[in-house]
Every structure is written in C-alpha cells, then in structure tokens.
Amino acid sequence: MRAIGVILAGGNNHRMKELTKKRAIAAMPIAGSYRGVDFALSNMTNSHIQKVGVFTQYNAKSLTQHLSSSKWWDFGRKQGGLFVFTPSITPDHSFWSRGTVDAIYQNISFLKDSHEPYVIITSGDGIYKLDYNKILEYHIDKKADITVVCKDFPETENVDRYGVLTMNEESRITDFEEKPIEARSHTVSCGIYVIRRRQLIELVEKCEEEDRHDFVADILVRYRTQKRIYGYKISEYWSNIATVEDYFRTNMDFLKPEVRDYFFNQYPEVYSKVDDLPPAKYNVGSAVQNSLISSGCIVNGAVQDSVVFKKVFIGNNCYIKNSIILNDVYIGDNTHIENCIVESHGTIRANSYYKGEDGIQIVVEKNDRFVL
Amino acid sequence: MIKKEMIAMLLAGGQGSRLGVLTTHMAKPAVPFGGKYRIIDFPLSNCINSGVDTVGVLTQYQPLRLNSHIGIGTPWDLDRYIGGVSILPPFEKNVSSEWYTGTANAILQNIEYMESCNPDYVLILSGDHIYKMDYEVMLDYHKQQKADVTIACMPVPLEEAKRFGIMITDDDRRIVDFEEKPEHPRGNLASMGIYIFSWKVLKDALLALADQPSLDFGKHVIPYCREKDQRMFAYEYNGYWKDVGTLNSYWEANMELIDIIPEFNLYEEYWRIFTKSEILPPQYVADNTAIEKSIIGEGSTIYGQVINSVIGCGVVIGKGTVVRDSIIMNRTVIGEGCNLDKAIIAEDCTVGDRVQLGVGEEEENDTRPDIYNHGLVTIAEKSVIPSGLTVGKNTVLSGSFQISEFKNESLPSGKTFIKGGDEK
C-alpha cells in the first residue's frame, strides 16, 4: 500500500452531553457490537493499509482499552501495525494538542519515519465503509494536493454542524466553510482526506510556526485557492455521531434492513474486538420486536424498536421502547424506558420510569448492583 | 530453554461416530455446541483459565474444521511466543509410520513434543466433554498427595456405573483397584478421562508399553501403573460434566443451557468460555416474533417464533416459521411458514418454505436406530431441504434435495436419506 493511515480520535463535542463524560467519541459504542473507531480501522485494514496511527487526547481510557491489541483489525504485524499516540510532555512541547494539526505535529516523527508517499487522514467518529484506494487513485488522477471526501445531503437537512463545501465542475473545491450559519451548498465534508506525506509535513510545520492548529480552518479553508484541493463525492452510507441526535439516529439506522445488510452482510466486513460473551438468552416473558440484541444479553421483558448493546440484563415485565441501552446495563423488573439512551455499566432499580419527552433523554444511573 | 510446569495433551482425533451425520466431515471436538461454541472450546478454555498455556492438540479424523478453528490459538490467548497451542497430527517416521492407534499410542508418538516443553506434569484431556474445571486445583491435589497419577472422577448413580470405568479407592482416595464397565460395580467413582501424570512416570510407562497394539490409557497405561504400584489417586469432581457422545445426550446438553439458571452457566464472569467468533454483529429480531426460553447467537435474524431452542450465529428464521425444541447451527437459513420440532440442523443448511420437520409417530430408524432415536430429525451440514417437504421422526437427511425425490412430498418417520457418498 502506498499510504499510511492517521485516525484523529481525540475529539470531544459538547453536543454529546453526558455521553462523552466517560469516553472520546471514537470509543462510543455503535450498532450493538462495535465502537466508532472500528469503522475507520476496518476501512484501513480492508484497504490494505498496514501502518495506522490513532491520535487520542480527550478521555482516551475507553479507546485505549478497546485498542489494547491490534490483532482484531489484523494489524498485529512486524512491518507497520497499529500505533496509539497520546499527547505527552516533551522538552519542547508541554501543551495538550491545541487542534488537529497540533495533534499531527506532536507526532510528526510518525510521518517522517514512514516511507509511504501518501497519508489517509480520517476521524474516529464516522460510520461508513470506504475503500481508500479509490480515493487515492482519484487523488493521483486529479494531481490534487488534498482530496476531501464529501457527500451530498438532502436540501431539507440542516448541515450547520458540518464542514460545507462548494466544488466547481472539475470537482475542485472553491469554497469551504466550517459549521456555517447559512450553508451555501449541501455538500458536507466527511472528514476524510488524502494528502501526500511530504506535503502534509510541510503544511503542518508551517501552521505550527504561525501558531495555527486546526486542519480544517488553517489548511483546508486557508489554502483553498493556493493548493489544489479536490472533493470526492460518495453516495454510500456515511454518518457522523458527534451529537446526541446523530448518535441516536445512526444507531437506529441499523434497524433498517438495507443498512444492516450493507454493514453486516456485504463485503468487506467491519471488525471489532471480540468479547467472548455467550449467546443472547430469551427467557419466558420476553417479547422483542424490531430490535437489535447483542451477545451476553438476558431478556425477560419487552423490547421494541431499540438497540440493546452487549451484556444487558432486562428484568421481568420491563418495557423498553425506541431506546438505546449501552453495554453492561442492569434493568430491574417493571421498568419503563422510552426515548432514552441508557449509559453503560448502569444499574436501574426495579419499578423505574424514564421517558424522553421532547428529544432523547440520557439516563445515567449508578446504583449498587447486587450480584446474584 | 523452555520450562513448563504442566502441559496439556488434548485428544481430538476421534470421529465420534455416535453423533451420526454431524461428524461426517469433522471430528467430534469440532462439532458446534451451545449456539456459538464448538465442543473443543470447553477443554481449551479450561486450560487457559487454569493457567495451562501449552497445549498439544492431537488430531487425526477429518481435522480441517478443527485446524481452522484453532488456528494459532488466538481466541484462547494460546498464541504464545513460548508454549501456546500446537496441532499434532500423525506423521511419517523413519521406521514404522502409523496412524494413532489408541489414546496412549497418540501420546506416545508425540513424546518428542512433550520432551521439548520440559514439563514436570502432563495433563491428558479429551476433546468431547462439556464442563468447567480448574486443572490447577487438580494439580495442587496431585502434588499434595505426592501422586504419580491423578485421575479426575465423578460420583455417578450406582445403576449407571456400569457404563463407566470405575475407580475403587481407599480412605485416602488412593486408587486400589478399577473396573472397566463392570457388571456389578464395587464403587461409584467414574473416571472422566482426565489424567495428570508426573512426566517421568508417564514417559516410563509409554516407553515400556510401546509395543502394545492400540495402546490405551484405560486398558493399558493405568493397569501398568497399578502393577508398578505407582501412587494413583482419584480427584473427586462434583460440578457439571456432560459426555455429548450420542445425538440424544448432545441434544439434551444443549437444551440444558436454556434453563433460567442452568446448571452449566455460560454467563459466569470469571470462567469464560472462549471461541473463535466469525460473526460479530448483533442479532435482529423483527416485528411479530415470539422468542421464549432460547439462546441465539450473533448476527442471526429472526422473523418467526423460537421456543426452547438453541440457535447459532448468522441464522435466518423466516416469517411464520415455528422452531421448537431444536438446535440450529451457524449460517443455516430457514424459510417461511415452516414447523420444526426436535430437529438438529447442522451448519450452512438451506431449508425451504413450508417445511415440516418431526411430524407424526415415532418409528425406529431403518439404518442406525442406535444413533438416530428419541424422535430427533437430524440434517447434515450444507443440506438443502426443498419447500413443502414433510419429514417424520427419527429421520436423517444429508445432501441437496429436490421435492421430486420424495414420494408424496414426505420422508416418513424412521427413514434415512443420505446423498453424495456420505456413508453411515
């Protein structure tokens, strides 16, 4: 492969509310069995990229635990492999990363010590399948300096939380706005970039000199006329999980047969760390409708239109509707949960009642759990 | 130099012919169990959970499935730089090349492997039982008794004792005598086929008995050790232990997993059973379904009803289909409007629409009534069952079928229909 991979997984977003108290967005559980970063990592390995650096910062505990071994994504190699970088204090740098460019700069030796001519940069919070080789070919074909993967959103959808770009007929990006108040187009950046490695080193070093730290504002927007920046449109599924609403909707998308088929059944596969949990168990009284149930679950009650993650216990006579129950949650008997996201490792007492009235309610319950 | 206190030798070469068509293309230890596991996962997980990180797996009969399942041992953390899992098939030698002719003969032929690990103790296991056991505790017992040989034993009801090898012990649990399948048992401690040998004792015994044809632990090695007056002790085990040697006991053991709190609990946190998981996504349960008392593996899609059943990974159960008291293994697809009763359907099968399995009165099976009984319908892997077929009880199907091959679109109770040169 002619490229190395960089996954920017340091980000946090206040729009995730309580959900990122415990973890970086890239470590958010997705679709019952996965974490956000699994999608970027699987794309890397399926595109035969052998060397990948994951740049972390914000609350990386969950993420580093998830990435404790590289073998699940088939990166356990002598040549290349998976590298997890956390910010560290050095004689000439004692800050946390001040932005995406700074995160790359702090680990610039990772780029300098590689020999592959290109770098694929992606974020850890995109849910998609993509063969990066296609973009690389396009990038070379266009003689581009930077290629930005983008997707057209429906006119009806609000795109003010994305980077929005305008392309000319040659697909060259003429305009790029980050989180515009009033968007001039409905083409959004997916946060996936291809760039020549030496070009990236040069731009990053220049930015640092000028005390600029953000890849989007200080490279894409600033250099849009100077450099040949091209867009590559994808039409396949792509979703970002950086807000509670997006996170909820993305998970619920997996209840649709076409989305499940695309991610679960079609080649290539998405990989994740294997948990070795027993099969899900349904006892008498369980009534599950239109829901995803993950391994290690024990179901005694009713579940409807929901995504239930791993190792969840649902007590007798419970009713769970239109909700997401994250990993290792214990739900006591006679509990009603509707329009909620229940944070992982929670214990919900019997006879509880939660209902998101306008929007999604996030339930964080830390009660003692009595082990039977 | 490598030094391992105890290594395990796992006998996984047997066919397990009493599992009928389930073992046509794989050795018994590779047969799926409990939705997502294979039988060999239990002893392998016990090994790593007991701190035994060096395991030789002796294969012979149809090893492909076993080899690809075990690989380099990654699922069990047995992919070690020093030690780990080694697959040991029979091999050609300078003189006298032979297959493994008996349990102890297989171990004898791998004496060099054991020597290379430089062990103090060797644990002998077989790959066809479902149980959880801490071999380290058994080793402690072995050391404490200053034993040469320790045999794990289980108390069984006296009336069943005649099916087992029975150990007769003195008050200190030292084995003074034993009987193989005795008519009138003198005790009720049945050997579980799990032995710890002090390495020197095992090596001496194997070399001394090297010329014995079909060298077997129960028949030759243990009697030899007794003749030599070695210190042999019984280690009593009182947990769950199930021999899944027959189709009916295999079916029963699967069904025991779905009790509210089963005797054999897969959900215990600290003695996990590891397996190679090929299918990761969660399972999807559609509208208008009913699932009761069942376990279901990853990536399965359920549109119908599942009652009292064990469903593997990546299985599809169509709309309006009712699955009852059945075992359905990985990646099998069941069509719509079917009715499955007490069926065992192996991996990668396709069952059409409106198929009825397990219908009518029981009839004795016409080929192997000793294997296919208790009303079970057994379907071998990769079979294709055509839409509209009705199948009776104690039946066996193997192969890709068309409806025109069946008289009255049915296979009556007790009938066997095996295609494609799969004998038995």
Side-chain angles (χ1 to χ4, degrees):
Chain A
M1 180 62 190
R2 291 166 294 171
I4 57 169
V6 166
I7 299 177
L8 299 170
N12 183 27
N13 190 326
H14 64 96
R15 293 206 248 187
M16 285 301 270
K17 298 184 188 151
E18 294 94 323
L19 287 176
T20 45
K21 272 202 179 136
K22 286 210 320 210
R23 54 179 105 67
I25 298 175
M28 285 303 295
I30 294 289
S33 306
Y34 303 92
R35 302 264 179 174
V37 75
D38 288 334
F39 293 83
L41 276 176
S42 300
N43 288 333
M44 292 282 178
T45 199
N46 289 328
S47 304
H48 310 293
I49 292 172
Q50 290 183 343
K51 186 174 175 186
V52 174
V54 180
F55 294 1
T56 69
Q57 166 150 297
Y58 177 82
N59 207 348
K61 193 197 86 177
S62 262
L63 190 60
T64 35
Q65 274 178 347
H66 186 63
L67 302 177
S68 64
S69 169
S70 53
K71 59 184 163 190
W72 313 120
W73 302 270
D74 219 1
F75 282 119
R77 299 280 167 268
K78 277 188 186 171
Q79 301 190 51
L82 180 66
F83 302 84
V84 181
F85 298 107
T86 43
S88 54
I89 291 174
T90 60
D92 40 42
H93 200 302
S94 58
F95 307 107
W96 289 98
S97 311
R98 288 160 295 185
T100 39
V101 167
D102 198 31
I104 296 171
Y105 181 74
Q106 286 191 33
N107 300 294
I108 197 101
S109 61
F110 174 71
L111 296 177
K112 286 188 167 169
D113 297 345
S114 299
H115 63 87
E116 289 83 351
Y118 296 97
V119 183
I120 313 278
I121 304 175
T122 177
S123 69
D125 52 12
I127 307 304
Y128 65 103
K129 285 213 272 197
L130 190 55
D131 184 354
Y132 298 129
N133 290 306
K134 281 191 198 156
I135 313 190
L136 188 56
E137 273 165 34
Y138 175 89
H139 178 84
I140 294 167
D141 195 43
K142 289 278 180 195
K143 297 191 176 60
D145 288 313
I146 303 174
T147 300
V148 179
V149 177
C150 52
K151 185 177 164 73
D152 280 339
F153 269 47
E155 294 290 329
T156 48
E157 198 157 336
N158 190 353
V159 292
D160 64 2
R161 60 194 185 281
Y162 298 108
V164 176
L165 49 88
T166 313
M167 297 194 284
N168 67 12
E169 56 280 10
E170 282 175 4
S171 298
R172 188 163 170 181
I173 294 172
T174 54
D175 196 19
F176 197 116
E177 285 181 293
E178 182 71 345
K179 304 191 175 81
I181 297 173
E182 199 174 316
R184 268 173 267 177
S185 92
H186 267 74
T187 308
V188 307
S189 162
C190 300
I192 305 160
Y193 318 108
V194 177
I195 181 168
R196 211 153 38 77
R197 185 172 53 88
R198 286 186 194 286
Q199 173 88 79
L200 178 65
I201 293 170
E202 193 187 297
L203 285 171
V204 165
E205 285 184 335
K206 193 127 184 271
C207 276
E208 281 294 305
E209 268 172 35
E210 297 168 354
D211 212 22
R212 299 176 188 274
H213 306 296
D214 187 60
F215 191 83
V216 173
D218 300 322
I219 292 182
L220 293 182
V221 176
R222 195 169 147 82
Y223 285 92
R224 70 185 180 280
T225 50
Q226 288 238 311
K227 299 280 178 192
R228 292 169 61 84
I229 304 182
Y230 279 78
Y232 177 95
K233 268 191 196 168
I234 54 168
S235 53
E236 291 87 1
Y237 187 94
W238 175 85
S239 180
N240 182 277
I241 54 167
T243 70
V244 170
E245 292 70 30
D246 283 332
Y247 176 71
F248 188 84
R249 182 186 44 74
T250 304
N251 275 295
M252 288 304 174
D253 276 347
F254 281 84
L255 293 179
K256 298 176 188 158
E258 65 276 12
V259 175
R260 268 203 322 279
D261 186 58
Y262 177 62
F263 281 103
F264 296 168
N265 300 336
Q266 285 177 32
Y267 178 85
E269 266 179 78
V270 182
Y271 308 100
S272 188
K273 185 175 173 176
V274 175
D275 268 340
D276 284 287
L277 290 162
K281 188 168 175 197
Y282 298 81
N283 291 326
V284 176
S286 74
V288 180
Q289 310 286 323
N290 187 36
S291 296
L292 285 168
I293 308 285
S294 308
S295 49
C297 286
I298 299 181
V299 183
N300 296 293
V303 182
Q304 206 178 342
D305 307 323
S306 296
V307 179
V308 181
F309 284 70
K310 294 175 186 173
K311 237 181 116 187
V312 170
F313 179 92
I314 296 171
N316 288 316
N317 203 24
C318 285
Y319 182 69
I320 293 161
K321 186 178 164 60
N322 195 38
S323 293
I324 292 172
I325 317 289
L326 296 183
N327 295 310
D328 188 27
V329 169
Y330 180 98
I331 300 175
D333 297 349
N334 312 317
T335 293
H336 181 109
I337 297 175
E338 194 171 345
N339 309 334
C340 291
I341 298 175
V342 180
E343 178 58 296
S344 60
H345 310 290
T347 301
I348 293 182
R349 290 206 180 94
N351 309 312
S352 304
Y353 185 92
Y354 297 94
K355 186 174 180 187
E357 291 299 348
D358 38 48
I360 307 306
Q361 186 185 344
I362 297 171
V363 179
V364 184
E365 279 287 357
K366 293 272 156 228
N367 296 309
D368 282 337
R369 191 179 303 186
F370 297 100
V371 179
L372 294 171
Chain B
M1 190 178 108
I2 296 179
K3 169 81 204 149
K4 293 283 178 187
E5 188 184 26
M6 180 157 81
I7 63 165
M9 297 296 274
L10 177 49
L11 296 158
Q15 175 183 0
S17 58
R18 289 174 303 155
L19 288 178
V21 288
L22 296 187
T23 56
T24 308
H25 294 290
M26 65 182 99
K28 178 169 157 188
V31 169
F33 182 85
K36 63 183 286 192
Y37 306 97
R38 293 183 189 272
I39 295 171
I40 199 168
D41 293 336
F42 296 87
L44 279 179
S45 302
N46 285 340
C47 279
I48 198 68
N49 289 337
S50 306
V52 178
D53 66 9
T54 307
V55 184
V57 179
L58 297 108
T59 60
Q60 174 156 290
Y61 177 82
Q62 291 279 15
L64 173 63
R65 210 61 64 82
L66 213 45
N67 291 347
S68 52
H69 183 65
I70 295 171
I72 57 167
T74 310
W76 305 271
D77 279 345
L78 286 169
D79 49 339
R80 307 281 297 216
Y81 196 59
I82 298 163
V85 67
S86 303
I87 294 195
L88 305 169
F91 51 93
E92 196 178 356
K93 297 166 204 70
N94 209 351
V95 284
S96 79
S97 300
E98 55 175 358
W99 294 102
Y100 294 153
T101 58
T103 50
N105 175 270
I107 305 290
L108 169 69
Q109 291 196 42
N110 286 288
I111 218 154
E112 271 184 58
Y113 168 77
M114 294 186 284
E115 201 101 68
S116 74
C117 301
N118 197 8
D120 294 330
Y121 307 97
V122 177
L123 170 68
I124 308 286
L125 302 170
S126 67
D128 42 12
H129 298 130
I130 307 296
Y131 65 108
K132 294 180 190 173
M133 187 194 262
D134 192 340
Y135 304 131
E136 204 174 6
V137 176
M138 183 172 167
L139 179 62
D140 288 344
Y141 175 86
H142 181 86
K143 289 182 199 163
Q144 192 193 328
Q145 298 285 17
K146 298 190 172 59
D148 296 311
V149 186
T150 300
I151 303 176
C153 293
M154 217 174 80
V156 293
L158 215 49
E159 57 270 24
E160 278 188 43
K162 54 171 163 296
R163 295 199 296 123
F164 295 94
I166 295 297
M167 302 291 142
I168 293 116
T169 60
D170 66 12
D171 294 343
D172 296 329
R173 291 260 171 240
R174 183 162 177 176
I175 296 170
V176 292
D177 204 359
F178 50 82
E179 309 167 305
E180 194 63 33
K181 299 189 176 140
E183 201 55 47
H184 303 287
R186 286 186 284 153
N188 71 336
L189 275 183
S191 164
M192 298 161 66
I194 300 165
Y195 312 98
I196 290 178
F197 282 90
S198 296
W199 166 232
K200 281 205 164 32
V201 174
L202 177 64
K203 190 178 166 187
D204 290 350
L206 290 175
L207 291 176
L209 295 166
D211 294 331
Q212 172 70 43
S214 307
L215 186 60
D216 184 87
F217 276 100
K219 289 198 195 96
H220 308 113
V221 176
I222 301 300
Y224 174 84
C225 291
R226 194 173 101 76
E227 256 167 53
K228 292 277 167 193
D229 211 23
Q230 308 279 24
R231 288 176 64 83
M232 293 207 289
F233 284 84
Y235 171 73
E236 193 175 318
Y237 172 81
N238 287 300
Y240 181 94
W241 181 82
K242 189 93 179 178
D243 179 12
V244 288
T246 66
L247 265 185
N248 189 51
S249 65
Y250 171 80
W251 180 82
E252 271 178 12
N254 272 283
M255 290 303 139
E256 281 166 10
L257 294 173
I258 60 181
D259 291 340
I260 294 268
I261 295 176
E263 204 184 332
F264 187 77
N265 194 349
L266 293 167
Y267 295 79
E268 274 172 358
E269 194 69 11
Y270 298 108
W271 202 270
R272 264 200 198 162
I273 306 300
F274 302 99
T275 188
K276 183 180 177 189
S277 303
E278 288 160 8
I279 299 173
L280 294 175
Q283 54 200 249
Y284 175 74
V285 182
D287 281 331
N288 304 317
T289 55
I291 306 175
E292 219 170 73
K293 272 195 84 182
S294 296
I295 57 175
I296 300 179
E298 282 101 334
S300 289
T301 313
I302 313 292
Y303 297 103
Q305 282 188 49
V306 181
I307 301 147
N308 260 332
S309 295
V310 174
I311 312 290
C313 302
V315 171
V316 179
I317 293 178
K319 217 181 242 178
T321 289
V322 181
V323 178
R324 198 183 292 272
D325 302 330
S326 295
I327 299 167
I328 297 175
M329 301 184 202
N330 292 358
R331 297 177 302 274
T332 280
V333 177
I334 315 273
E336 299 183 358
C338 298
N339 214 321
L340 278 51
D341 208 359
K342 263 195 117 172
I344 300 177
I345 306 180
E347 294 164 278
D348 300 296
C349 288
T350 308
V351 175
D353 299 334
R354 305 175 319 278
V355 171
Q356 313 281 323
L357 300 182
V359 174
E361 295 298 310
E362 276 195 44
E363 292 284 338
E364 192 171 81
N365 184 266
D366 55 358
T367 47
R368 293 297 299 268
D370 56 328
I371 297 176
Y372 306 110
N373 44 38
H374 289 83
L376 290 165
V377 178
T378 311
I379 297 177
E381 61 170 350
K382 296 182 184 138
S383 293
V384 178
I385 308 299
S387 292
L389 186 68
T390 302
V391 178
K393 296 187 163 99
N394 295 334
T395 44
V396 198
L397 283 158
S398 172
S400 181
F401 298 101
Q402 313 241 323
I403 193 72
S404 54
E405 294 171 81
F406 297 89
K407 206 171 141 191
N408 298 331
E409 303 189 344
S410 78
L411 185 77
S413 288
K415 293 292 177 202
T416 304
F417 199 161
I418 293 173
K419 258 187 169 177
D422 294 344
E423 68 289 350
K424 290 198 311 296

